[in-house]
Amino acid sequence: AGGRALAEESPAAVQARVIADLASAWPRYASLFPVLRSEVGRVLTFEKSAGYTHTRRKGAKASGLVDVVPTLAHRLMPSARFVLIARDPATLPRSRYQQCLRQMHRHARAGELMTQKCGGSVDADFEQMVLRSGVVQADGSGVLSPAPLASGPGGASPLARLLAARMGGPSGLLLVEDAVETLLAWGSALREGRLLVLFTEQFGSDPFGMMNQVLRHVGLPSYNWPDAVRVPNSTRWTYCLATSKSVAPKRKLSAAWEAALRLAYTPVIRRFKEALPCLHAPWREAAGEHAGEAADTNKDTGAHEELRRKMCP
């Protein structure tokens, strides 16, 4: 109901209402990160949330609410610095599926909710969920390939099919938010140097280097991570790659499935690389007839050029 109400309002009306709501909500939220007035400018606080970039509700996207968030973040926190961690689109659906199973497992109706929300009840159901979604298909011999989609007037290209606002249910796990559009929105709202883009895969290959990039981005010196110590009164280390959910051991997909997903999501990967080549996204593209399409929606505009100027100094 909330999404439908937002969709009926103009972007200007939504922005005015959100700003008015924040006038009372912001102090309560800021109180979750208490810093003594005498320590302002010396103590850093932070939070992490994928919600700032997810367009999970169609109503939010239609109303322009998504476009309001970067502007409000900059207005309310002009000194804040942001880090966007992007992940290989070809591996993202598997990660989301596993996270969905973990989340639903906490509920009393775990089995029912897993099937309803995730499309399966165990990790081994992932492949069948993808086949039912239509993103990948198998022929009579079991050979996997991206499913053909309609073309022409009213048809959807592979890129348009996968670049869409997130939604509930198994199909939503396979949709990819448009990182280029996200960066256009945030890049236009923030001053140069306020937004750092890193990649999940780099935290696996060079965790210490990536963490030091984050530290330098917020104005702190690099840290000697091999000498990291335990957090006081905790069993956790200041940084422990072995316990990261992004790199934790899991059932390996077959080579055929990895190749099929790579082929299906290559148009998304190519769109990002063509828009921001200077970021050197460590995402491998597949070769094949289905991978030949870059994005019709990736037309180079003045906004893209401005984004490259900010992101690629």
Side-chain angles (χ1 to χ4, degrees), residues 141-207:
S141 302
V143 177
L144 300 168
S145 65
L149 297 169
S151 59
S157 69
L159 186 80
R161 167 75 176 276
L162 294 172
L163 282 177
R166 289 284 303 280
M167 62 183 69
S171 297
L173 301 177
L174 299 165
L175 300 178
V176 179
E177 287 84 3
D178 191 341
V180 175
E181 291 302 316
T182 295
L183 288 172
L184 282 171
W186 283 86
S188 62
L190 302 176
R191 298 194 190 98
E192 291 182 38
R194 295 290 181 185
L195 178 63
L196 173 67
V197 179
L198 299 175
F199 300 96
T200 300
E201 295 73 26
Q202 294 174 321
F203 281 89
S205 61
D206 183 19

Side-chain angles (χ1 to χ4, degrees), residues 2 58 87 106 118 223 242 263 270 277 297 309:
K58 291 183 178 179
R87 183 167 187 158
R106 304 169 187 168
C118 312
Y223 183 71
L263 196 58
R270 188 164 296 165
T297 55
R309 187 182 67 81

Side-chain angles (χ1 to χ4, degrees), residues 16-32:
R17 182 165 56 78
V18 170
I19 291 175
D21 291 342
L22 280 173
S24 59
W26 178 251
R28 295 195 302 272
Y29 176 75
S31 69
L32 300 175

Side-chain angles (χ1 to χ4, degrees), residues 26 29 47 52 72-82 190:
W26 178 251
Y29 176 75
E47 71 159 341
Y52 291 121
L72 290 178
H74 175 63
R75 183 181 301 177
L76 294 166
M77 301 180 293
S79 64
R81 291 177 179 257
F82 297 85
L190 302 176

Side-chain angles (χ1 to χ4, degrees), residues 35 57 162 190 216 307:
V35 177
R57 303 296 183 191
L162 294 172
L190 302 176
R216 290 192 295 271
L307 178 63

